[in-house]
Amino acid sequence: MSAFRLTILTPEREFFEGEAESLVFPTVDGSYGVLPGHQPEVVILSEGALRITIDGKTREAAASDGFVTILPESVTVILQTAEWPEDIDRRRAEEARRAAEETLRQRQSQREYALAKSMLARAMVRLRVAKDVVRQ
Ligand code: ATP
């Protein structure tokens, strides 16, 4: 099966580096899919789940906002944060969700409101991506 080189970076680490058969990521206009040989493009990625297909198997990861540089043979994703489902601390995400909802309920500045909205979005994505992980 044909593949492209996929690199996913955050400021903290190289989250993923390897061959992938496809990548699907969220944008404000809906899901965006990349296959090998895609035309060159830079696309803004919104918070949500990345879906990466490697050797015929699809894995999900929680992603915060960032951007994706697409070339026919390589794709680079640069994000603030990324986590595999098994690395997500659900209690932390639940607490972040509650704290963000509490901030949204109070009167605050536009900036605080925007920060709380984005904190809420990150927490909801983490909870959704981690929901099927079976803990030992
Ligand atoms: P929160 O307020 O939800 O705890 P935060 O705003 O402090 O999150 P981020 O800026 O979104 O955190 O991320 C900071 C670092 O912590 C990143 O490396 C991110 O991958 C990690 N991280 C944040 N929340 C979680 C979580 N629930 N489980 C695992 N890692 C997390």
Side-chain angles (χ1 to χ4, degrees):
M1 189 174 279
S2 69
F4 55 85
R5 180 138 293 262
L6 175 62
T7 308
I8 304 179
L9 303 171
T10 75
E12 294 168 356
R13 62 183 166 143
E14 185 177 82
F15 178 73
F16 178 83
E17 220 284 317
E19 298 287 310
E21 284 130 38
S22 76
L23 169 72
V24 178
F25 59 88
T27 75
V28 283
D29 297 324
S31 292
Y32 193 107
V34 183
L35 293 170
H38 197 287
Q39 64 181 29
E41 207 151 5
V42 177
V43 185
I44 304 281
L45 180 154
S46 316
E47 282 118 350
L50 296 180
R51 288 207 303 280
I52 307 162
T53 303
I54 305 159
D55 291 333
K57 288 200 198 93
T58 300
R59 293 196 73 188
E60 270 199 334
S64 64
D65 48 2
F67 63 90
V68 185
T69 304
I70 305 166
L71 292 172
E73 290 170 7
S74 66
V75 174
T76 305
V77 181
I78 299 187
L79 300 160
Q80 282 299 328
T81 67
E83 300 99 34
W84 297 115
E86 58 276 19
D87 297 330
I88 293 172
D89 178 338
R90 276 186 283 201
R91 188 174 301 168
R92 177 174 166 183
E94 197 54 63
E95 277 164 18
R97 182 177 70 84
R98 257 186 258 119
E101 283 173 347
E102 185 52 38
T103 306
L104 291 174
R105 264 194 293 275
Q106 293 159 8
R107 281 177 172 276
Q108 11 55 30
S109 66
Q110 277 197 343
R111 181 175 154 70
E112 280 173 320
Y113 183 83
L115 287 174
K117 285 280 269 193
S118 119
M119 186 174 165
L120 179 61
R122 284 197 303 278
M124 298 302 281
V125 169
R126 287 175 177 134
L127 290 168
R128 199 170 72 228
V129 167
K131 97 176 156 16
D132 296 327
V133 176
V134 178
R135 308 274 164 181
Q136 299 295 322

